[in-house]
Amino acid sequence: MIEVEKLVKSYGTAGRRASAAVDDISFTVPAGEVVTLLGASGCGKTTTLRCVAGLVSPDSGRIQLGERVVYDSARRLNVSPDKRDLGMVFQSYAIWPHMTVKENVAFPLRCRSVARAAIEKKVTTALELVGLAHLADRLAPNLSGGQQQRVALARAIVAEPDVLLLDEPLSNLDAKLRDDMRGELRGLQRRLGLTMCFVTHDQTEAMGLADTVVLMRDGRIVESGSPRQLYEAPRDPYTASFLGSSNLWLSASLGADGEKVRLRNDFGTFEVDRPQWWTGERRAAAFFFRRHNVRLVEPTAAGGPNIATGRVTEAVFLGETLHVSAAAGELTATVALDPWDASKVTVGDEIHFAPTHPLVFPAGAERDVEAAEQDVAAEPSGR
C-alpha cells in the first residue's frame, strides 16, 4: 500500500519566489494494485515519485508505505531511500556498463550483505521472471534497449520489495517494443502481487497498466479514478481532452427537459444527459464528444435532433480509420469513421452524423481543452 497525504514540494532560486512542483496532493494505492501518475512534462508527477522513493525531500505532508510511515513533516520523520523497502526503475535504466547482467541484478543484494548462495538463487529467479536467464553473463552494453529495460526491472524486484516505482521506463523503446513490454510488466505485477506506482505522459500506457489513473497538472491532481471512469465519464474538461482525441463545440442552451439538457450550435440541436452542476440559469455550454464516438446517418435525417450537419473539408484514409474534417459556420469537427464509409464521404459535400456518448461542460471549458491539446502535442509521442 502507498498512501500520500497533503504532499508539498517547492523549488526556488535566490531572489525568486518558490514555485510548487507538487502542490498539496493526496492519493492512495491499495496493496497489490497499480496507480499511474499521468500528465504532461512539468506537471509534478516525477517529483511526486521521487518524494515517495526518498530521493527528494518534500516540504510537508505524509507518506506511508505498507504499515510504515516513511515521511511525516509533523513528526520530522524522513526515512532514507535504502530503508524504504522499495524497488525503482528509472527512465535511463541506470545500468552499470562494466558489469554483467547478473552482476547488475545482484548489486542491491550485495549492498544488503545477503549471503552469496541466497544472492545466486534470487538473481536467477529475477532473471527468469523477465526472460533474461540465458544472458546472465553478458555485459550490459551488449544488450538491446528492451533487454536493458528488463535488467533494470529484474534489479528492482530481486530484493522482493513491497513497492515498485517506475519513472517513464518505456519511453526509450520503440512503439512495438513499448506495447510488448507494457503487457509483460502488467503480467509480472500480477504474478508477484506488487504494489506499483508508474509515471508516464503516455495515455495508452496509463490506461493499459493502471487500476487507478491520477491525472496531474501544474503540481495538482486534476482528477483520479479507473481508466474507464476517466475516459467515459470525466468530470473535468482537461481530463476529457487529455485522454483521447475529441471535439468541443460552444453551444447555446435551450434549457433542460427532465434529465436532459438541450443545446444548439452551428452543427444542429442536441440533447445531453443533465450534469450535476447544471443550474438551469446558464445560457451557454460546451458540447463534447470523442472523435470515434460517431455514426453516419442518411441525409433524410438532417435537421433532426442529435444529428450534426456540416460540410466535408478533408478526408484522410489511415488504414484502420477514415479521418474526416467538417465545418459548420464557425465550428469545425474531426471524426474517425470506419474505412468502409470512404465511399460515402466526398470533400465539399455535406455530411450527417450522430455524436454518441456526448458530455456537456460549462462554457469556458474550451480553454482547458485547448491547454490539454497543447500539453499532449508537446510530448514526444503526441497523440
Side-chain angles (χ1 to χ4, degrees):
M1 184 268 285
I2 304 172
E3 185 174 348
V4 174
E5 182 180 344
K6 296 185 178 299
L7 191 68
V8 175
K9 176 60 183 177
S10 298
Y11 293 101
T13 56
R16 293 187 179 182
R17 183 179 179 181
S19 59
V22 178
D23 191 2
D24 193 28
I25 71 168
S26 302
F27 63 89
T28 299
V29 189
E33 293 194 5
V34 180
V35 68
T36 297
L37 302 183
L38 173 66
S41 298
C43 73
K45 57 189 185 294
T46 292
T47 299
T48 300
L49 192 77
R50 293 175 71 85
C51 287
V52 174
L55 301 175
V56 169
S57 295
D59 300 333
S60 61
R62 182 177 175 276
I63 301 171
Q64 182 172 337
L65 302 179
E67 299 300 321
R68 185 184 182 200
V69 176
V70 296
Y71 175 81
D72 190 335
S73 57
R75 295 162 51 190
R76 296 185 178 180
L77 172 67
N78 192 5
V79 176
S80 63
D82 59 308
K83 305 295 184 184
R84 295 197 178 194
D85 192 24
L86 53 79
M88 187 163 183
V89 179
F90 298 89
Q91 182 176 358
S92 63
Y93 309 146
I95 301 298
W96 287 287
H98 64 289
M99 294 183 182
T100 65
V101 168
K102 182 168 59 178
E103 290 168 341
N104 266 281
V105 176
F107 187 81
L109 300 177
R110 291 203 171 99
C111 289
R112 300 182 187 193
S113 300
V114 176
R116 180 174 297 180
I119 289 177
E120 288 290 334
K121 183 178 180 180
K122 289 178 180 292
V123 169
T124 298
T125 299
L127 289 176
E128 287 175 348
L129 282 170
V130 300
L132 286 182
H134 64 295
L135 298 178
D137 296 319
R138 181 172 295 185
L139 285 172
N142 297 330
L143 301 174
S144 68
Q147 289 169 337
Q148 290 190 41
Q149 197 268 356
R150 286 183 171 90
V151 173
L153 184 56
R155 187 179 57 193
I157 65 174
V158 70
E160 301 174 0
D162 292 332
V163 171
L164 181 61
L165 308 178
L166 303 102
D167 186 8
E168 302 264 14
L170 309 181
S171 61
N172 292 328
L173 306 179
D174 60 54
K176 177 62 168 62
L177 186 54
R178 191 162 58 238
D179 289 344
D180 292 343
M181 287 303 304
R182 183 174 67 247
E184 292 182 19
L185 185 58
R186 184 55 159 153
L188 181 64
Q189 181 271 331
R190 287 171 175 161
R191 288 197 301 274
L192 299 180
L194 291 168
T195 304
M196 196 164 82
C197 186
F198 188 99
V199 162
T200 183
H201 65 268
D202 186 282
Q203 305 93 318
T204 301
E205 281 182 14
M207 292 191 288
L209 278 168
D211 296 295
T212 299
V213 175
V214 175
L215 179 62
M216 296 183 65
R217 179 187 183 190
D218 297 333
R220 296 187 176 187
I221 294 175
V222 178
E223 193 170 347
S224 64
S226 70
R228 188 164 188 171
Q229 176 187 342
L230 262 59
Y231 188 82
E232 295 183 350
R235 298 187 302 273
D236 191 280
Y238 184 88
T239 306
S241 187
F242 197 93
L243 292 175
S245 300
S246 57
N247 293 281
L248 184 139
W249 299 330
L250 187 62
S251 309
S253 168
L254 300 179
D257 183 9
E259 295 301 314
K260 298 289 184 179
V261 171
R262 289 178 289 115
L263 303 174
R264 182 179 62 208
N265 55 54
D266 290 336
F267 274 97
T269 302
F270 306 90
E271 288 187 348
V272 186
D273 289 339
R274 183 173 181 169
Q276 292 183 350
W277 55 262
W278 189 271
T279 64
E281 300 173 358
R282 297 181 179 272
R283 295 184 179 181
F287 180 80
F288 175 96
F289 65 97
R290 300 206 178 277
R291 293 181 182 181
H292 64 275
N293 284 341
V294 298
R295 58 180 177 84
L296 286 181
V297 299
E298 296 298 326
T300 53
N306 299 320
I307 303 299
T309 298
R311 194 163 298 278
V312 177
T313 58
E314 186 178 40
V316 181
F317 177 75
L318 296 177
E320 294 183 353
T321 60
L322 177 71
H323 275 208
V324 177
S325 298
E330 297 297 318
L331 300 179
T332 60
T334 301
V335 297
L337 303 177
D338 190 302
W340 296 105
D341 289 325
S343 61
K344 304 176 184 178
V345 178
T346 303
V347 173
D349 287 353
E350 278 194 341
I351 186 174
H352 312 284
F353 60 92
T356 59
H357 308 295
L359 300 171
V360 59
F361 292 111
E366 59 271 14
R367 292 189 292 272
D368 289 322
V369 168
E370 182 179 355
E373 294 286 353
Q374 291 174 349
D375 285 348
V376 171
E379 296 299 333
S381 60
R383 177 186 290 151

